[in-house]
Amino acid sequence: MLEVENLTKFYGDLLAVNDLSFKIEEGEFGTLLGPSGCGKSTTLRTIAGLVEPTEGGIYLRGDDVTGQPPNERNIGLVFQDSATFPHMTVEENIEYGLKMNGFGPDEREEQITKYLDLVQISEYRDHRPTELSGGQERRVSIARALAYEPDILLLDEPLTGLDRVLRQDLRNEIKQIQREVEVTTLYVTHDQEEALSMSDKILVLDDGEKQQEGSPTEIYDD
Ligand code: ADP
Ligand code: ADP
């Protein structure tokens, strides 16, 4: 489904990612785990097309997408502190992405209803993000990223800034949602517990290089 092949990224002289290769299979929940500055975000942004690789390739569904602009990659993105559009209601936030992806009015209505229900914020449909709690706003971001049914969902530390209890609740929910819609997912975190509890496959990065790769059990035992 997703294949990262010999990815290398320099920012000037700084080597952020060094010859990184991995695969995420269809429907799999993969996680990039490692300390701050190890190259997780750079890798994710390269997959999204927001950062240009110095070397290497990105393949989605077997297609070489290296060099393709982000909007041609059919990717769902949730960043840390993911910005919802403050001047739009929850519904309009989700509709925006659907319009960009060519969904007609009836389909949009259907997708909005389905995905608001999935992330359990249907009752806030007509609210603005500023009227929501931090956790509810994250749910809007997740619904927005999923509603147009991307080939792959990319999440970069989506629980940053939330308190411990909420983080735990949301990580369980994200995992449930991912199972339910069976979307191929790549998740980025520095939190080992988070990675172990959510993932099918974990890639441990350090200094831009892959240190380990395996199931949570395999990683935990090492
Ligand atoms: P992580 O997501 O694991 O924290 P990043 O991919 O953000 O790691 O960063 C990897 C390294 O690249 C860090 O040393 C960071 O400072 C550097 N870096 C990230 N983005 C840029 C950029 N746009 N310009 C220069 N250096 C960057
Ligand atoms: P993350 O860990 O998710 O990359 P950061 O706060 O490190 O978040 O990065 C935020 C933004 O700043 C990104 O666009 C990243 O590319 C850029 N950035 C990160 N490190 C550097 C750096 N050393 N020099 C220039 N830009 C950077």
Side-chain angles (χ1 to χ4, degrees):
M1 173 63 235
L2 165 70
E3 196 170 347
V4 172
E5 207 175 84
N6 303 110
L7 175 66
T8 294
K9 176 64 185 180
F10 279 96
Y11 294 108
D13 290 338
L14 187 135
L15 179 56
V17 178
N18 187 9
D19 198 25
L20 177 66
S21 298
F22 65 90
K23 283 184 195 176
I24 306 292
E25 305 298 340
E26 179 93 44
E28 206 172 29
F29 193 116
T31 297
L32 298 175
L33 171 68
S36 177
C38 74
K40 306 181 296 293
S41 287
T42 298
T43 303
L44 199 87
R45 288 186 177 134
T46 307
I47 296 165
L50 301 170
V51 164
E52 205 171 317
T54 308
E55 275 177 61
I58 308 292
Y59 300 82
L60 279 171
R61 293 197 178 281
D63 296 332
D64 185 355
V65 299
T66 327
Q68 265 185 18
N71 59 1
E72 284 172 26
R73 296 191 184 197
N74 199 23
I75 269 170
L77 271 176
V78 180
F79 285 123
Q80 46 179 275
D81 310 318
S82 226
T84 45
F85 307 121
H87 59 290
M88 296 182 193
T89 64
V90 167
E91 171 180 342
E92 287 162 353
N93 261 277
I94 295 164
E95 186 164 31
Y96 180 83
L98 289 163
K99 273 189 188 156
M100 300 287 286
N101 283 275
F103 284 70
D106 291 349
E107 267 183 316
R108 293 205 294 267
E109 172 60 31
E110 206 172 294
Q111 296 299 91
I112 291 167
T113 304
K114 175 176 169 188
Y115 283 91
L116 285 180
D117 185 47
L118 190 73
V119 301
Q120 300 175 43
I121 45 168
S122 301
E123 62 192 287
Y124 300 103
R125 188 170 172 137
D126 298 323
H127 287 58
R128 283 177 202 282
T130 46
E131 300 166 326
L132 304 181
S133 71
Q136 288 161 345
E137 197 181 354
R138 302 305 157 95
R139 283 172 215 230
V140 178
S141 303
I142 294 166
R144 185 177 58 183
L146 282 175
Y148 53 87
E149 302 187 352
D151 288 336
I152 185 164
L153 178 66
L154 303 176
L155 301 149
D156 190 349
E157 307 253 10
L159 307 182
T160 301
L162 302 175
D163 70 54
R164 204 182 142 68
V165 176
L166 191 54
R167 284 177 74 103
Q168 240 161 33
D169 287 351
L170 271 180
R171 87 179 183 213
N172 292 336
E173 268 181 50
I174 290 173
K175 181 67 203 167
Q176 263 176 26
I177 290 167
Q178 189 268 342
R179 283 222 180 97
E180 198 168 324
V181 302
E182 297 178 323
V183 62
T184 308
T185 299
L186 187 61
Y187 191 92
V188 160
T189 184
H190 64 272
D191 184 330
Q192 180 174 308
E193 206 185 306
E194 217 169 274
L196 290 170
S197 71
M198 297 175 91
S199 319
D200 299 315
K201 175 192 266 181
I202 299 175
L203 298 121
V204 182
L205 299 193
D206 195 23
D207 251 344
E209 293 184 15
K210 186 166 77 180
Q211 299 297 321
Q212 288 185 76
E213 173 171 3
S215 68
T217 324
E218 288 162 342
I219 299 292
Y220 190 72
D221 285 347
D222 272 358

